[in-house]
Amino acid sequence: MNKFRSLNIRKIQFSSDLHSIRLFSATSASYDKFKCKALVVGGGTAGCSIAAKLASVFGKNECIILEPANDHYYQPMFTMIGGGMKTLSQVRRSMASVLPKKAKWIQDAAVRFDPDDNEVITKQGHIISYELLIIAVGLQLCYGKIPGLEEALSIPNGNVTSIYSPKYVDRHLNALNRFENGNIIFTFPASPVKCPGAPQKICYITEHFLRKTKKREQAHIMYNSSLPTIFGCKAYADALWKVANGRSIEVNLKTNLIEVHGDKNVAVFASMDNPNEKKSIEYSILHAVPPQSPPQVLLESKHLTNEAGFVDVDKATMQHVKYPNVFALGDCASSPNSKTMAAIAGQVGVLNKNIESFLKGKPLRSEYDGYASCPLVTGYDSCILAEFDYNLQPKETFPFRQDVERYSMFLMKRDFMPFLYWHLMLNGWWNGPASFRKLFSLFKRN
Ligand code: UQ1
């Protein structure tokens, strides 16, 4: 690391961020310049897991992680928190405790990528140069894109809830406990989302909660999704239709939440086929899933991204299509897989092998097949474990039928997965269930 006074006009003239103003105005301020073998941008599931692998290969402080947050959440548990099966404090750990000890953590955010110079500029004005860049900045939640939603979510003890953010996740159980009668509406936005099963899981958990508390008769439950299908993979879509119909949940497809009037408890929906076709529905509880997009820094990095702002990688190797020393994984990558934690597990293994080949100057041979898994929790004791690939074909691990609700899969989701996450995945030791699948295939009939 060497300190220097930075007034590099070429570097700052393109930047719209605050730090460039700082560079111009505070001429006496000094900024750090860092150098490393591998720079991992993002300390979420993807960043943390790949950094653990790289830090152990490259050695102490040769891998830098750039991540501004203080806390790290095990987000797959948010649906269970919504149903009161877990608490937020059980799924939160300090960032310092989960990042690999051999890596150097810079608590700051990227504001500009300069892949031609192998540099990243941070919000505080530091410059980090790298030999290898791994982008794992996830998705941002855009509650503000739906007029009235943030306002409604800020009403104390309000009727609008959202398990997608730690800020709002506790509101759902509070609203369920207060519920007396009326419409309970669940939404799915018109954007890519992380864990596309979650908007439905919280719906089924809610339905079971109402049966348990003898309030089911008083509720009319609606699942309003902007998508044209209930689930992308047909085998599980058929199973989910049975769950929804069997529990008298009204499913409205191509129906997009566009406005919330928190003061009147009214949600406005528009048809995806005809945006002028709108309907207003009064709710007792509205569970809203925010539209999501790549973070701002990627939306401003056109040289690295596709049109939608995702890091433009080869969907098999996860290597950038233009910059061979740049890789991406997780929710911010352009690979067209379902954005789940299991997908990241598969990508980490592929990336690890391909980075090794890249550093040796060999062709990248490891290929990600789009594997994603979604434990579709359907209540307080049942779960359908969906597993599929890029072609939306089931790619199942266990020797029994997975398109049915099972208690065993519920226990796996609730009790085994958190252990696997904190102890194996974050240390870079879990690359998905491929070896279990091979083993169990010995017991499979047909
Ligand atoms: C998985 O690998 C994973 O990532 C760690 C999850 O996220 C928490 C999952 O929910 C699942 C189901 C898998 C796949 C693992 C098995 C054993 C099928």
Side-chain angles (χ1 to χ4, degrees):
M1 176 184 93
N2 70 52
K3 296 250 181 194
F4 72 116
R5 282 170 212 283
S6 176
L7 264 181
N8 184 335
I9 302 300
R10 186 186 59 78
K11 286 211 186 309
I12 52 185
Q13 65 193 352
F14 303 112
S15 176
S16 59
D17 202 82
L18 267 183
H19 90 272
S20 60
I21 298 165
R22 245 182 75 193
L23 287 174
F24 275 117
S25 57
T27 46
S28 62
S30 66
Y31 303 96
D32 292 331
K33 188 162 167 81
F34 299 89
K35 223 176 146 190
C36 61
K37 280 215 165 71
L39 170 60
V40 177
V41 184
T45 299
C48 201
S49 310
I50 192 71
K53 290 250 190 208
L54 298 179
S56 72
V57 173
F58 292 145
K60 187 104 183 133
N61 291 345
E62 289 294 349
C63 174
I64 288 180
I65 304 176
L66 189 59
E67 168 57 58
N70 286 318
D71 293 320
H72 181 110
Y73 293 94
Y74 178 61
Q75 297 182 37
M77 237 3 120
F78 283 3
T79 42
M80 291 197 147
I81 296 174
M85 291 177 255
K86 295 269 177 173
T87 63
L88 190 58
S89 60
Q90 285 176 306
V91 310
R92 180 178 50 216
R93 298 212 177 159
S94 71
M95 194 59 78
S97 72
V98 297
L99 294 179
K101 300 283 171 283
K102 280 191 181 166
K104 180 180 179 62
W105 175 26
I106 298 179
Q107 193 169 13
D108 197 353
V111 289
R112 204 155 67 86
F113 291 100
D114 238 340
D116 290 311
D117 288 341
N118 295 323
E119 284 178 351
V120 168
I121 321 293
T122 78
K123 191 168 182 181
Q124 291 170 26
H126 306 311
I127 298 178
I128 307 172
S129 60
Y130 57 80
E131 288 172 32
L132 206 61
L133 173 67
I134 293 99
I135 306 176
V137 289
L139 283 173
Q140 60 173 335
L141 305 176
C142 310
Y143 285 100
K145 280 193 181 163
I146 298 179
L149 179 55
E150 271 180 334
E151 292 80 350
L153 281 165
S154 69
I155 299 172
N157 294 319
N159 301 332
V160 180
T161 69
S162 184
I163 54 118
Y164 264 77
S165 161
K167 196 169 153 195
Y168 304 129
V169 67
D170 284 330
R171 290 172 71 88
H172 196 70
L173 185 65
N174 288 339
L176 284 183
N177 284 326
R178 279 183 284 109
F179 175 80
E180 285 172 5
N181 57 61
N183 291 327
I184 307 186
I185 311 175
F186 295 84
T187 72
F188 190 116
S191 80
V193 300
K194 49 177 149 180
C195 193
Q200 249 175 106
K201 297 179 203 178
I202 190 63
C203 175
Y204 301 134
I205 290 170
T206 298
E207 195 276 337
H208 195 179
F209 176 94
L210 296 172
R211 274 187 282 132
K212 274 163 42 116
T213 52
K214 310 265 183 293
K215 295 195 276 192
R216 180 65 184 93
E217 297 287 299
Q218 285 79 267
H220 178 68
I221 303 180
M222 276 177 257
Y223 178 68
N224 289 357
S225 169
S226 62
L227 298 179
T229 52
I230 195 166
F231 198 74
C233 177
K234 178 154 184 336
Y236 306 111
D238 293 347
L240 291 168
W241 274 117
K242 277 189 205 144
V243 174
N245 292 337
R247 303 215 204 150
S248 302
I249 294 167
E250 179 184 328
V251 178
N252 299 304
L253 300 177
K254 298 190 189 177
T255 303
N256 184 28
L257 176 69
I258 55 163
E259 234 175 285
V260 179
H261 300 280
D263 51 339
K264 299 189 213 119
N265 293 326
V266 168
V268 185
F269 292 87
S271 156
M272 292 297 287
D273 288 335
N274 176 6
N276 294 324
E277 201 183 292
K278 295 182 189 170
K279 62 179 170 204
S280 298
I281 312 177
E282 204 175 334
Y283 58 80
S284 293
I285 300 177
L286 171 69
H287 179 270
V289 177
Q292 291 157 49
S293 89
Q296 201 55 32
V297 63
L298 289 183
L299 298 178
E300 290 167 8
S301 303
K302 303 263 183 258
H303 47 316
L304 278 177
T305 61
N306 66 11
E307 281 196 350
F310 292 93
V311 184
D312 212 350
V313 292
D314 179 285
K315 71 176 198 172
T317 63
M318 306 307 284
Q319 183 183 39
H320 195 269
V321 294
K322 282 201 299 241
Y323 298 97
N325 65 336
V326 177
F327 294 80
L329 78 167
D331 297 348
C332 72
S334 65
S335 49
N337 54 280
S338 187
K339 297 182 186 304
T340 70
M341 194 169 270
I344 296 172
Q347 293 169 358
V348 168
V350 168
L351 217 62
N352 190 42
K353 287 191 195 129
N354 284 342
I355 285 174
E356 197 185 325
S357 303
F358 172 76
L359 293 174
K360 288 181 181 157
K362 292 185 176 163
L364 312 192
R365 294 216 195 278
S366 188
E367 297 198 340
Y368 171 56
D369 63 2
Y371 171 79
S373 164
C374 184
L376 292 151
V377 177
T378 52
Y380 287 77
D381 51 12
S382 55
C383 172
I384 295 172
L385 178 63
E387 294 180 280
F388 47 93
D389 60 14
Y390 275 138
N391 301 319
L392 300 178
Q393 291 307 309
K395 188 162 191 190
E396 300 184 339
T397 300
F398 295 102
F400 45 73
R401 276 189 71 166
Q402 288 185 207
D403 62 345
V404 290
E405 294 173 272
R406 290 183 184 274
Y407 184 52
S408 55
M409 296 296 97
F410 173 84
L411 293 179
M412 185 189 78
K413 158 85 181 175
R414 189 190 62 184
D415 302 327
F416 177 65
M417 282 300 154
F419 172 86
L420 182 147
Y421 182 68
W422 297 117
H423 299 287
L424 299 182
M425 184 149 177
L426 289 185
N427 288 316
W429 297 329
W430 175 250
N431 301 148
S435 38
F436 287 101
R437 190 178 306 119
K438 259 191 211 140
L439 178 70
F440 289 138
S441 69
L442 301 174
F443 305 100
K444 252 187 186 162
R445 282 187 284 152
N446 77 21

